[in-house]
């Protein structure tokens, strides 16, 4: 994620990642990705950059990589991240007391939440840019 200055190195405010794995433990073979996001620059938090970037990378995972499920592991005390992932349709699926984290899951039947969020973001902004 970059600001509009044009200098990608100096203007980077954070990053987002999909770590892809194949889940063959279940009856159905599913393509699964763990989603991560970080807004490193504190002054850029709370401006919906994280929401926009996360929606776009998940949309990319759905449409281009044919992913069927997403997970996110979030520390129990990271309220802003929990709120962000819940806002786009992730549901709590597990808790680890040992690691003090919550696992959230976004299954295929909830992908419409992401699609609606992207439509809402694109109508409120003139341009949504993606750097791949």
């Amino acid at each position: 994620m970059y600001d509009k200055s044009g200098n990608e190195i100096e203007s980077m405010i954070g990053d987002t990642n999909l770590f892809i794995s194949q889940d063959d433990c279940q009856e159905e073979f599913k393509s699964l990705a763990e989603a991560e996001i970080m807004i490193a620059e504190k002054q850029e938090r709370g401006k919906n950059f994280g929401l926009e970037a996360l929606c776009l990378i998940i949309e990319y995972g759905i449409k281009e990589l044919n992913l069927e499920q997403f997970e996110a592991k979030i520390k129990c005390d990271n309220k802003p991240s929990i709120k962000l992932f819940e806002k786009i349709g992730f549901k709590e699926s597990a808790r680890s007391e040992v690691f003090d984290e919550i696992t959230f899951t976004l299954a295929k039947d909830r992908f419409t939440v992401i699609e609606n969020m992207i439509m809402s973001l694109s109508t409120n902004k003139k341009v949504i840019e993606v750097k791949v």
Side-chain angles (χ1 to χ4, degrees), residues 23-38:
D23 184 4
D24 58 358
C25 297
Q26 300 176 0
E27 290 179 25
E28 278 186 38
F29 186 76
K30 293 183 180 179
S31 295
L32 168 69
E34 183 176 340
E36 290 185 351
I37 187 154
M38 173 190 63

Side-chain angles (χ1 to χ4, degrees), residues 8 10 19 21 37 48 50 53-54 57 59 70 74 77 92 95 109 113 116 119 124 128:
E8 294 178 0
E10 291 182 18
F19 296 98
S21 64
I37 187 154
N48 283 334
L54 191 57
I57 199 165
E59 180 187 43
F70 297 86
I74 304 170
D77 64 350
E92 182 177 330
R95 281 184 179 254
D109 64 339
V113 176
N116 293 338
M119 285 177 48
N124 292 329
I128 295 179

Side-chain angles (χ1 to χ4, degrees), residues 69-129:
Q69 186 170 320
F70 297 86
E71 288 185 347
K73 297 179 188 306
I74 304 170
K75 290 288 188 189
C76 292
D77 64 350
N78 190 342
K79 302 297 183 204
S81 288
I82 290 169
K83 184 178 174 183
L84 169 63
F85 279 86
E86 288 178 335
K87 184 174 186 173
I88 62 171
F90 279 74
K91 299 288 182 189
E92 182 177 330
S93 58
R95 281 184 179 254
S96 170
E97 300 302 322
V98 173
F99 295 110
D100 191 34
E101 69 184 14
I102 306 168
T103 300
F104 289 87
T105 303
L106 178 70
K108 199 172 192 173
D109 64 339
R110 307 259 321 141
F111 286 176
T112 55
V113 176
I114 293 287
E115 292 165 358
N116 293 338
M117 189 67 64
I118 290 169
M119 285 177 48
S120 173
L121 286 168
S122 64
T123 58
N124 292 329
K125 291 187 173 187
K126 293 181 180 166
V127 177
I128 295 179
E129 296 179 25

Side-chain angles (χ1 to χ4, degrees), residues 2 4 9 14-15 22-23 25 39 47 49 56 62 65 74 82-83 89 91 95-96 102 107:
Y2 305 97
K4 305 276 187 216
I9 302 299
D15 68 354
Q22 302 296 323
D23 184 4
C25 297
I39 305 297
K47 297 180 180 178
F49 293 130
L56 290 171
I62 293 166
L65 303 175
I74 304 170
I82 290 169
K83 184 178 174 183
K91 299 288 182 189
R95 281 184 179 254
S96 170
I102 306 168

